[in-house]
Amino acid sequence: MQSVDRAIAILYLLAERGRDGVGVTEVATELGVHKSTAFRLIMALENGDLVEQVEERGKYHLGRGILRLAGATTAQLELPTESRPVCKRLAVELGETVNLAIIDTGEATNILQEYGSSAITGRNWIGQRTPLHATASGKVLLTWSDRAETKEVLASTLERYTPRTITDNSALKAELTRVREQGWASTVEEFEVGLNALAAPVRNAAGDVVASVGVSGPSYRLTVESFPEVADRLMDGAREISTRLGWFGPAQR
């Protein structure tokens, strides 16, 4: 814990000094530790891209990793605000319920929902946690999630919700590969009988997938035959939300 406290103190010190940077000796003095201890802490932070050396001057400042973390946090805070108008439009265009979901401790959590004209008595999914392997949004989040988390899910026992739920780990791995290649995910009555869904990835300013925007509806309305056309509209919406969050690059796979 002492090392963590000292590392945090270094980050705050560098934030205060800004572009001028701070040398190892000054860090050691501020922390009241030996230069070798200060150097080891700085190296650990540098390995994590949280600290960078200022050219050849022997001084350090905050690294690009800090910007990446800040960007991810900002994107999470801005997600509902920036996504709402796009989700509203998609709900009107598609006539079905549109949701925005994020990954949260091994499940997908819906944080925004807009109803389409056909979803008069639609279910409220806001705040609901749904399985990653059995939902379209979950598949998107799992496809572009941390590798360790993906491996954990692929190695776990997959719960069956309907006769169509993917419960074979190798089959799920193949499904995630397909999702990455085509850029969107779908489910055909895999979480609930009679319910189909599609989802596409939403990226933050750094290009990381931070959410999924999805549409769901009864299988007799949201048919498999309609998936390609619906997916195109959904991906356009996902790209617009990503742009609102600061992502202007090409879609990554």
Side-chain angles (χ1 to χ4, degrees):
M1 286 298 295
Q2 189 178 47
S3 295
V4 174
D5 290 339
R6 287 171 173 171
I8 292 173
I10 291 174
L11 294 176
Y12 275 104
L13 177 61
L14 296 180
E16 290 175 3
R17 301 302 168 84
R19 290 190 175 186
D20 292 337
V22 180
V24 175
T25 301
E26 189 175 356
V27 170
T29 301
E30 289 285 341
L31 269 59
V33 299
H34 194 275
K35 282 180 62 176
S36 61
T37 300
F39 182 74
R40 285 196 299 271
L41 289 169
I42 290 173
M43 288 301 98
L45 293 170
E46 187 174 27
N47 289 336
D49 289 330
L50 300 178
V51 165
E52 294 178 355
Q53 192 167 25
V54 183
E55 299 177 349
E56 302 298 326
R57 293 191 296 160
K59 291 191 175 183
Y60 297 85
H61 58 62
L62 294 178
R64 287 168 291 181
I66 292 291
L67 295 176
R68 188 178 183 88
L69 293 175
T73 302
T74 301
Q76 291 286 356
L77 295 174
E78 294 177 346
L79 264 172
T81 301
E82 298 299 340
S83 301
R84 190 177 302 279
V86 180
C87 289
K88 281 185 176 181
R89 191 188 71 240
L90 285 172
V92 171
E93 291 178 356
L94 300 174
E96 302 291 355
T97 301
V98 173
N99 287 282
L100 188 75
I102 60 173
I103 195 166
D104 181 22
T105 59
E107 292 182 291
T109 298
N110 294 282
I111 62 173
L112 178 65
Q113 177 168 296
E114 296 294 339
Y115 293 106
S117 57
S118 301
I120 300 176
T121 58
R123 175 178 173 180
N124 184 1
W125 291 95
I126 295 180
Q128 297 296 312
R129 296 164 62 83
T130 55
L132 297 175
H133 71 285
T135 60
S137 289
K139 289 180 184 179
V140 165
L141 296 170
L142 188 57
T143 296
W144 282 281
S145 70
D146 178 78
R147 290 184 179 180
E149 190 162 25
T150 302
K151 287 183 178 179
E152 184 178 346
V153 173
L154 291 174
S156 65
T157 299
L158 304 176
E159 185 175 350
R160 182 181 297 279
Y161 295 91
T162 77
R164 290 179 175 266
T165 304
I166 297 176
T167 56
D168 179 77
N169 299 87
S170 58
L172 178 59
K173 184 176 181 180
E175 173 74 353
L176 298 184
T177 298
R178 184 178 70 85
V179 171
R180 184 178 291 275
E181 290 175 349
Q182 68 182 12
W184 53 276
S186 64
T187 53
V188 179
E189 302 186 76
E190 294 174 37
F191 184 50
E192 290 185 6
V193 173
L195 182 71
N196 289 351
L198 290 86
V202 173
R203 300 178 184 277
N204 64 8
D208 301 317
V209 173
V210 293
S212 64
V213 58
V215 58
S216 60
S219 55
Y220 66 86
R221 280 203 312 256
L222 189 58
T223 63
V224 174
E225 290 74 22
S226 71
F227 280 7
E229 180 182 353
V230 173
D232 284 343
R233 292 190 180 188
L234 203 58
M235 287 194 292
D236 285 342
R239 279 192 289 270
E240 183 176 344
I241 296 173
S242 299
T243 299
R244 285 170 169 262
L245 295 175
W247 175 245
F248 297 96
Q252 295 180 344
R253 293 184 177 179

PDB file of all heavy atoms in Angstrom, residues 42-74:
ATOM      1  N   ILE A  42       9.116   5.546 -10.445  1.00  0.00           N
ATOM      2  CA  ILE A  42       8.956   6.247 -11.721  1.00  0.00           C
ATOM      3  C   ILE A  42       9.011   5.264 -12.883  1.00  0.00           C
ATOM      4  O   ILE A  42       8.232   5.356 -13.835  1.00  0.00           O
ATOM      5  CB  ILE A  42      10.029   7.343 -11.879  1.00  0.00           C
ATOM      6  CG1 ILE A  42       9.759   8.486 -10.893  1.00  0.00           C
ATOM      7  CG2 ILE A  42      10.034   7.887 -13.314  1.00  0.00           C
ATOM      8  CD1 ILE A  42      10.848   9.530 -10.858  1.00  0.00           C
ATOM      9  N   MET A  43       9.931   4.295 -12.813  1.00  0.00           N
ATOM     10  CA  MET A  43      10.043   3.302 -13.878  1.00  0.00           C
ATOM     11  C   MET A  43       8.771   2.464 -14.000  1.00  0.00           C
ATOM     12  O   MET A  43       8.330   2.133 -15.097  1.00  0.00           O
ATOM     13  CB  MET A  43      11.242   2.387 -13.618  1.00  0.00           C
ATOM     14  CG  MET A  43      12.604   3.037 -13.838  1.00  0.00           C
ATOM     15  SD  MET A  43      12.833   3.669 -15.532  1.00  0.00           S
ATOM     16  CE  MET A  43      12.434   5.421 -15.298  1.00  0.00           C
ATOM     17  N   ALA A  44       8.183   2.126 -12.858  1.00  0.00           N
ATOM     18  CA  ALA A  44       6.940   1.352 -12.875  1.00  0.00           C
ATOM     19  C   ALA A  44       5.825   2.144 -13.548  1.00  0.00           C
ATOM     20  O   ALA A  44       5.051   1.609 -14.358  1.00  0.00           O
ATOM     21  CB  ALA A  44       6.539   0.973 -11.453  1.00  0.00           C
ATOM     22  N   LEU A  45       5.741   3.434 -13.229  1.00  0.00           N
ATOM     23  CA  LEU A  45       4.736   4.293 -13.845  1.00  0.00           C
ATOM     24  C   LEU A  45       5.013   4.498 -15.330  1.00  0.00           C
ATOM     25  O   LEU A  45       4.086   4.557 -16.147  1.00  0.00           O
ATOM     26  CB  LEU A  45       4.699   5.652 -13.131  1.00  0.00           C
ATOM     27  CG  LEU A  45       4.194   5.632 -11.685  1.00  0.00           C
ATOM     28  CD1 LEU A  45       4.429   6.986 -11.025  1.00  0.00           C
ATOM     29  CD2 LEU A  45       2.717   5.270 -11.641  1.00  0.00           C
ATOM     30  N   GLU A  46       6.301   4.583 -15.676  1.00  0.00           N
ATOM     31  CA  GLU A  46       6.670   4.750 -17.078  1.00  0.00           C
ATOM     32  C   GLU A  46       6.313   3.506 -17.885  1.00  0.00           C
ATOM     33  O   GLU A  46       5.856   3.606 -19.028  1.00  0.00           O
ATOM     34  CB  GLU A  46       8.157   5.045 -17.202  1.00  0.00           C
ATOM     35  CG  GLU A  46       8.599   5.406 -18.625  1.00  0.00           C
ATOM     36  CD  GLU A  46      10.051   5.836 -18.702  1.00  0.00           C
ATOM     37  OE1 GLU A  46      10.847   5.401 -17.847  1.00  0.00           O
ATOM     38  OE2 GLU A  46      10.387   6.605 -19.613  1.00  0.00           O
ATOM     39  N   ASN A  47       6.497   2.337 -17.301  1.00  0.00           N
ATOM     40  CA  ASN A  47       6.140   1.088 -17.987  1.00  0.00           C
ATOM     41  C   ASN A  47       4.643   1.008 -18.275  1.00  0.00           C
ATOM     42  O   ASN A  47       4.222   0.334 -19.211  1.00  0.00           O
ATOM     43  CB  ASN A  47       6.570  -0.117 -17.145  1.00  0.00           C
ATOM     44  CG  ASN A  47       8.080  -0.296 -17.112  1.00  0.00           C
ATOM     45  OD1 ASN A  47       8.782   0.161 -18.016  1.00  0.00           O
ATOM     46  ND2 ASN A  47       8.580  -0.956 -16.074  1.00  0.00           N
ATOM     47  N   GLY A  48       3.862   1.703 -17.446  1.00  0.00           N
ATOM     48  CA  GLY A  48       2.415   1.733 -17.659  1.00  0.00           C
ATOM     49  C   GLY A  48       1.960   2.928 -18.476  1.00  0.00           C
ATOM     50  O   GLY A  48       0.763   3.198 -18.561  1.00  0.00           O
ATOM     51  N   ASP A  49       2.921   3.631 -19.091  1.00  0.00           N
ATOM     52  CA  ASP A  49       2.627   4.803 -19.926  1.00  0.00           C
ATOM     53  C   ASP A  49       1.974   5.939 -19.138  1.00  0.00           C
ATOM     54  O   ASP A  49       1.369   6.841 -19.716  1.00  0.00           O
ATOM     55  CB  ASP A  49       1.717   4.440 -21.108  1.00  0.00           C
ATOM     56  CG  ASP A  49       2.440   3.611 -22.143  1.00  0.00           C
ATOM     57  OD1 ASP A  49       3.665   3.768 -22.282  1.00  0.00           O
ATOM     58  OD2 ASP A  49       1.779   2.783 -22.807  1.00  0.00           O
ATOM     59  N   LEU A  50       2.095   5.895 -17.805  1.00  0.00           N
ATOM     60  CA  LEU A  50       1.522   6.962 -16.988  1.00  0.00           C
ATOM     61  C   LEU A  50       2.504   8.108 -16.790  1.00  0.00           C
ATOM     62  O   LEU A  50       2.112   9.213 -16.414  1.00  0.00           O
ATOM     63  CB  LEU A  50       1.094   6.406 -15.630  1.00  0.00           C
ATOM     64  CG  LEU A  50       0.044   5.288 -15.670  1.00  0.00           C
ATOM     65  CD1 LEU A  50      -0.263   4.802 -14.267  1.00  0.00           C
ATOM     66  CD2 LEU A  50      -1.227   5.757 -16.366  1.00  0.00           C
ATOM     67  N   VAL A  51       3.779   7.834 -17.044  1.00  0.00           N
ATOM     68  CA  VAL A  51       4.835   8.836 -16.914  1.00  0.00           C
ATOM     69  C   VAL A  51       5.752   8.739 -18.121  1.00  0.00           C
ATOM     70  O   VAL A  51       6.019   7.644 -18.621  1.00  0.00           O
ATOM     71  CB  VAL A  51       5.653   8.604 -15.611  1.00  0.00           C
ATOM     72  CG1 VAL A  51       6.960   9.370 -15.638  1.00  0.00           C
ATOM     73  CG2 VAL A  51       4.828   9.014 -14.400  1.00  0.00           C
ATOM     74  N   GLU A  52       6.232   9.886 -18.611  1.00  0.00           N
ATOM     75  CA  GLU A  52       7.159   9.915 -19.743  1.00  0.00           C
ATOM     76  C   GLU A  52       8.319  10.859 -19.426  1.00  0.00           C
ATOM     77  O   GLU A  52       8.152  11.840 -18.697  1.00  0.00           O
ATOM     78  CB  GLU A  52       6.451  10.410 -21.015  1.00  0.00           C
ATOM     79  CG  GLU A  52       5.373   9.465 -21.527  1.00  0.00           C
ATOM     80  CD  GLU A  52       4.679  10.018 -22.754  1.00  0.00           C
ATOM     81  OE1 GLU A  52       4.978  11.177 -23.127  1.00  0.00           O
ATOM     82  OE2 GLU A  52       3.838   9.315 -23.326  1.00  0.00           O
ATOM     83  N   GLN A  53       9.480  10.550 -20.007  1.00  0.00           N
ATOM     84  CA  GLN A  53      10.643  11.398 -19.805  1.00  0.00           C
ATOM     85  C   GLN A  53      10.621  12.551 -20.800  1.00  0.00           C
ATOM     86  O   GLN A  53      10.255  12.376 -21.963  1.00  0.00           O
ATOM     87  CB  GLN A  53      11.934  10.605 -19.969  1.00  0.00           C
ATOM     88  CG  GLN A  53      13.171  11.342 -19.483  1.00  0.00           C
ATOM     89  CD  GLN A  53      14.376  10.427 -19.367  1.00  0.00           C
ATOM     90  OE1 GLN A  53      14.455   9.417 -20.042  1.00  0.00           O
ATOM     91  NE2 GLN A  53      15.318  10.804 -18.524  1.00  0.00           N
ATOM     92  N   VAL A  54      10.998  13.731 -20.329  1.00  0.00           N
ATOM     93  CA  VAL A  54      11.037  14.916 -21.176  1.00  0.00           C
ATOM     94  C   VAL A  54      12.341  14.909 -21.960  1.00  0.00           C
ATOM     95  O   VAL A  54      13.390  15.308 -21.452  1.00  0.00           O
ATOM     96  CB  VAL A  54      10.935  16.213 -20.338  1.00  0.00           C
ATOM     97  CG1 VAL A  54      10.911  17.422 -21.264  1.00  0.00           C
ATOM     98  CG2 VAL A  54       9.707  16.171 -19.459  1.00  0.00           C
ATOM     99  N   GLU A  55      12.276  14.399 -23.171  1.00  0.00           N
ATOM    100  CA  GLU A  55      13.427  14.332 -24.068  1.00  0.00           C
ATOM    101  C   GLU A  55      14.658  13.816 -23.320  1.00  0.00           C
ATOM    102  O   GLU A  55      14.634  12.772 -22.712  1.00  0.00           O
ATOM    103  CB  GLU A  55      13.680  15.717 -24.679  1.00  0.00           C
ATOM    104  CG  GLU A  55      12.493  16.204 -25.510  1.00  0.00           C
ATOM    105  CD  GLU A  55      12.695  17.586 -26.065  1.00  0.00           C
ATOM    106  OE1 GLU A  55      13.645  18.282 -25.661  1.00  0.00           O
ATOM    107  OE2 GLU A  55      11.899  17.970 -26.935  1.00  0.00           O
ATOM    108  N   GLU A  56      15.757  14.562 -23.365  1.00  0.00           N
ATOM    109  CA  GLU A  56      16.998  14.105 -22.739  1.00  0.00           C
ATOM    110  C   GLU A  56      17.328  14.881 -21.471  1.00  0.00           C
ATOM    111  O   GLU A  56      18.456  14.850 -20.982  1.00  0.00           O
ATOM    112  CB  GLU A  56      18.165  14.241 -23.744  1.00  0.00           C
ATOM    113  CG  GLU A  56      17.970  13.482 -25.040  1.00  0.00           C
ATOM    114  CD  GLU A  56      17.861  11.981 -24.808  1.00  0.00           C
ATOM    115  OE1 GLU A  56      18.538  11.484 -23.880  1.00  0.00           O
ATOM    116  OE2 GLU A  56      17.102  11.320 -25.538  1.00  0.00           O
ATOM    117  N   ARG A  57      16.350  15.605 -20.936  1.00  0.00           N
ATOM    118  CA  ARG A  57      16.637  16.470 -19.802  1.00  0.00           C
ATOM    119  C   ARG A  57      16.594  15.743 -18.465  1.00  0.00           C
ATOM    120  O   ARG A  57      16.858  16.322 -17.417  1.00  0.00           O
ATOM    121  CB  ARG A  57      15.649  17.637 -19.773  1.00  0.00           C
ATOM    122  CG  ARG A  57      15.824  18.601 -20.939  1.00  0.00           C
ATOM    123  CD  ARG A  57      15.027  19.849 -20.702  1.00  0.00           C
ATOM    124  NE  ARG A  57      13.580  19.566 -20.660  1.00  0.00           N
ATOM    125  CZ  ARG A  57      12.703  20.383 -20.106  1.00  0.00           C
ATOM    126  NH1 ARG A  57      13.112  21.488 -19.505  1.00  0.00           N
ATOM    127  NH2 ARG A  57      11.427  20.085 -20.118  1.00  0.00           N
ATOM    128  N   GLY A  58      16.249  14.474 -18.480  1.00  0.00           N
ATOM    129  CA  GLY A  58      16.216  13.720 -17.243  1.00  0.00           C
ATOM    130  C   GLY A  58      15.041  14.034 -16.353  1.00  0.00           C
ATOM    131  O   GLY A  58      15.020  13.654 -15.185  1.00  0.00           O
ATOM    132  N   LYS A  59      14.057  14.759 -16.892  1.00  0.00           N
ATOM    133  CA  LYS A  59      12.866  15.071 -16.120  1.00  0.00           C
ATOM    134  C   LYS A  59      11.671  14.310 -16.689  1.00  0.00           C
ATOM    135  O   LYS A  59      11.676  13.878 -17.829  1.00  0.00           O
ATOM    136  CB  LYS A  59      12.597  16.578 -16.120  1.00  0.00           C
ATOM    137  CG  LYS A  59      13.626  17.373 -15.328  1.00  0.00           C
ATOM    138  CD  LYS A  59      13.176  18.802 -15.127  1.00  0.00           C
ATOM    139  CE  LYS A  59      14.149  19.543 -14.226  1.00  0.00           C
ATOM    140  NZ  LYS A  59      13.705  20.927 -13.935  1.00  0.00           N
ATOM    141  N   TYR A  60      10.653  14.180 -15.859  1.00  0.00           N
ATOM    142  CA  TYR A  60       9.485  13.399 -16.237  1.00  0.00           C
ATOM    143  C   TYR A  60       8.217  14.237 -16.138  1.00  0.00           C
ATOM    144  O   TYR A  60       8.128  15.169 -15.335  1.00  0.00           O
ATOM    145  CB  TYR A  60       9.354  12.170 -15.327  1.00  0.00           C
ATOM    146  CG  TYR A  60      10.510  11.208 -15.446  1.00  0.00           C
ATOM    147  CD1 TYR A  60      11.679  11.395 -14.708  1.00  0.00           C
ATOM    148  CD2 TYR A  60      10.442  10.129 -16.313  1.00  0.00           C
ATOM    149  CE1 TYR A  60      12.749  10.516 -14.815  1.00  0.00           C
ATOM    150  CE2 TYR A  60      11.510   9.230 -16.433  1.00  0.00           C
ATOM    151  CZ  TYR A  60      12.657   9.442 -15.686  1.00  0.00           C
ATOM    152  OH  TYR A  60      13.723   8.574 -15.812  1.00  0.00           O
ATOM    153  N   HIS A  61       7.231  13.865 -16.999  1.00  0.00           N
ATOM    154  CA  HIS A  61       5.909  14.479 -16.898  1.00  0.00           C
ATOM    155  C   HIS A  61       4.869  13.392 -17.108  1.00  0.00           C
ATOM    156  O   HIS A  61       5.203  12.243 -17.408  1.00  0.00           O
ATOM    157  CB  HIS A  61       5.738  15.628 -17.903  1.00  0.00           C
ATOM    158  CG  HIS A  61       5.949  15.219 -19.334  1.00  0.00           C
ATOM    159  ND1 HIS A  61       5.167  14.289 -19.977  1.00  0.00           N
ATOM    160  CD2 HIS A  61       6.864  15.630 -20.255  1.00  0.00           C
ATOM    161  CE1 HIS A  61       5.569  14.146 -21.221  1.00  0.00           C
ATOM    162  NE2 HIS A  61       6.607  14.932 -21.417  1.00  0.00           N
ATOM    163  N   LEU A  62       3.608  13.745 -16.969  1.00  0.00           N
ATOM    164  CA  LEU A  62       2.540  12.766 -17.126  1.00  0.00           C
ATOM    165  C   LEU A  62       2.546  12.195 -18.539  1.00  0.00           C
ATOM    166  O   LEU A  62       2.751  12.920 -19.515  1.00  0.00           O
ATOM    167  CB  LEU A  62       1.178  13.396 -16.824  1.00  0.00           C
ATOM    168  CG  LEU A  62       0.952  13.833 -15.373  1.00  0.00           C
ATOM    169  CD1 LEU A  62      -0.418  14.481 -15.233  1.00  0.00           C
ATOM    170  CD2 LEU A  62       1.077  12.656 -14.420  1.00  0.00           C
ATOM    171  N   GLY A  63       2.286  10.894 -18.649  1.00  0.00           N
ATOM    172  CA  GLY A  63       2.333  10.219 -19.939  1.00  0.00           C
ATOM    173  C   GLY A  63       0.990  10.122 -20.631  1.00  0.00           C
ATOM    174  O   GLY A  63      -0.048  10.530 -20.094  1.00  0.00           O
ATOM    175  N   ARG A  64       1.023   9.536 -21.813  1.00  0.00           N
ATOM    176  CA  ARG A  64      -0.197   9.413 -22.618  1.00  0.00           C
ATOM    177  C   ARG A  64      -1.222   8.484 -21.989  1.00  0.00           C
ATOM    178  O   ARG A  64      -2.412   8.565 -22.276  1.00  0.00           O
ATOM    179  CB  ARG A  64       0.176   8.924 -24.012  1.00  0.00           C
ATOM    180  CG  ARG A  64       0.858   9.977 -24.873  1.00  0.00           C
ATOM    181  CD  ARG A  64       1.468   9.381 -26.116  1.00  0.00           C
ATOM    182  NE  ARG A  64       2.604   8.530 -25.780  1.00  0.00           N
ATOM    183  CZ  ARG A  64       3.334   7.889 -26.686  1.00  0.00           C
ATOM    184  NH1 ARG A  64       3.045   8.000 -27.962  1.00  0.00           N
ATOM    185  NH2 ARG A  64       4.348   7.139 -26.316  1.00  0.00           N
ATOM    186  N   GLY A  65      -0.748   7.578 -21.135  1.00  0.00           N
ATOM    187  CA  GLY A  65      -1.680   6.670 -20.475  1.00  0.00           C
ATOM    188  C   GLY A  65      -2.694   7.400 -19.615  1.00  0.00           C
ATOM    189  O   GLY A  65      -3.844   6.967 -19.478  1.00  0.00           O
ATOM    190  N   ILE A  66      -2.259   8.540 -19.040  1.00  0.00           N
ATOM    191  CA  ILE A  66      -3.173   9.351 -18.235  1.00  0.00           C
ATOM    192  C   ILE A  66      -4.301   9.887 -19.108  1.00  0.00           C
ATOM    193  O   ILE A  66      -5.473   9.885 -18.726  1.00  0.00           O
ATOM    194  CB  ILE A  66      -2.422  10.522 -17.575  1.00  0.00           C
ATOM    195  CG1 ILE A  66      -1.444  10.005 -16.515  1.00  0.00           C
ATOM    196  CG2 ILE A  66      -3.402  11.511 -16.957  1.00  0.00           C
ATOM    197  CD1 ILE A  66      -2.110   9.417 -15.296  1.00  0.00           C
ATOM    198  N   LEU A  67      -3.947  10.334 -20.309  1.00  0.00           N
ATOM    199  CA  LEU A  67      -4.963  10.853 -21.231  1.00  0.00           C
ATOM    200  C   LEU A  67      -5.936   9.756 -21.638  1.00  0.00           C
ATOM    201  O   LEU A  67      -7.132   9.993 -21.782  1.00  0.00           O
ATOM    202  CB  LEU A  67      -4.278  11.437 -22.480  1.00  0.00           C
ATOM    203  CG  LEU A  67      -3.395  12.667 -22.254  1.00  0.00           C
ATOM    204  CD1 LEU A  67      -2.720  13.075 -23.561  1.00  0.00           C
ATOM    205  CD2 LEU A  67      -4.222  13.808 -21.707  1.00  0.00           C
ATOM    206  N   ARG A  68      -5.399   8.566 -21.809  1.00  0.00           N
ATOM    207  CA  ARG A  68      -6.245   7.430 -22.201  1.00  0.00           C
ATOM    208  C   ARG A  68      -7.259   7.127 -21.097  1.00  0.00           C
ATOM    209  O   ARG A  68      -8.444   6.907 -21.359  1.00  0.00           O
ATOM    210  CB  ARG A  68      -5.366   6.219 -22.470  1.00  0.00           C
ATOM    211  CG  ARG A  68      -6.092   5.031 -23.072  1.00  0.00           C
ATOM    212  CD  ARG A  68      -5.098   3.905 -23.329  1.00  0.00           C
ATOM    213  NE  ARG A  68      -5.736   2.783 -23.967  1.00  0.00           N
ATOM    214  CZ  ARG A  68      -5.864   2.643 -25.274  1.00  0.00           C
ATOM    215  NH1 ARG A  68      -5.407   3.594 -26.064  1.00  0.00           N
ATOM    216  NH2 ARG A  68      -6.466   1.587 -25.800  1.00  0.00           N
ATOM    217  N   LEU A  69      -6.786   7.098 -19.860  1.00  0.00           N
ATOM    218  CA  LEU A  69      -7.677   6.835 -18.737  1.00  0.00           C
ATOM    219  C   LEU A  69      -8.705   7.949 -18.577  1.00  0.00           C
ATOM    220  O   LEU A  69      -9.886   7.692 -18.341  1.00  0.00           O
ATOM    221  CB  LEU A  69      -6.859   6.689 -17.452  1.00  0.00           C
ATOM    222  CG  LEU A  69      -5.944   5.470 -17.357  1.00  0.00           C
ATOM    223  CD1 LEU A  69      -5.109   5.539 -16.094  1.00  0.00           C
ATOM    224  CD2 LEU A  69      -6.752   4.181 -17.386  1.00  0.00           C
ATOM    225  N   ALA A  70      -8.234   9.193 -18.726  1.00  0.00           N
ATOM    226  CA  ALA A  70      -9.145  10.337 -18.607  1.00  0.00           C
ATOM    227  C   ALA A  70     -10.194  10.311 -19.708  1.00  0.00           C
ATOM    228  O   ALA A  70     -11.366  10.598 -19.474  1.00  0.00           O
ATOM    229  CB  ALA A  70      -8.361  11.645 -18.670  1.00  0.00           C
ATOM    230  N   GLY A  71      -9.757   9.917 -20.917  1.00  0.00           N
ATOM    231  CA  GLY A  71     -10.694   9.850 -22.031  1.00  0.00           C
ATOM    232  C   GLY A  71     -11.764   8.801 -21.806  1.00  0.00           C
ATOM    233  O   GLY A  71     -12.941   9.007 -22.106  1.00  0.00           O
ATOM    234  N   ALA A  72     -11.356   7.661 -21.237  1.00  0.00           N
ATOM    235  CA  ALA A  72     -12.308   6.584 -20.969  1.00  0.00           C
ATOM    236  C   ALA A  72     -13.323   7.027 -19.922  1.00  0.00           C
ATOM    237  O   ALA A  72     -14.520   6.764 -20.039  1.00  0.00           O
ATOM    238  CB  ALA A  72     -11.566   5.345 -20.497  1.00  0.00           C
ATOM    239  N   THR A  73     -12.851   7.722 -18.885  1.00  0.00           N
ATOM    240  CA  THR A  73     -13.743   8.200 -17.840  1.00  0.00           C
ATOM    241  C   THR A  73     -14.710   9.240 -18.385  1.00  0.00           C
ATOM    242  O   THR A  73     -15.916   9.203 -18.103  1.00  0.00           O
ATOM    243  CB  THR A  73     -12.925   8.827 -16.685  1.00  0.00           C
ATOM    244  OG1 THR A  73     -12.028   7.835 -16.176  1.00  0.00           O
ATOM    245  CG2 THR A  73     -13.840   9.299 -15.577  1.00  0.00           C
ATOM    246  N   THR A  74     -14.185  10.161 -19.184  1.00  0.00           N
ATOM    247  CA  THR A  74     -15.038  11.195 -19.775  1.00  0.00           C
ATOM    248  C   THR A  74     -16.112  10.575 -20.661  1.00  0.00           C
ATOM    249  O   THR A  74     -17.275  10.985 -20.636  1.00  0.00           O
ATOM    250  CB  THR A  74     -14.187  12.177 -20.609  1.00  0.00           C
ATOM    251  OG1 THR A  74     -13.209  12.775 -19.758  1.00  0.00           O
ATOM    252  CG2 THR A  74     -15.059  13.263 -21.208  1.00  0.00           C
TER     253      THR A  74
END
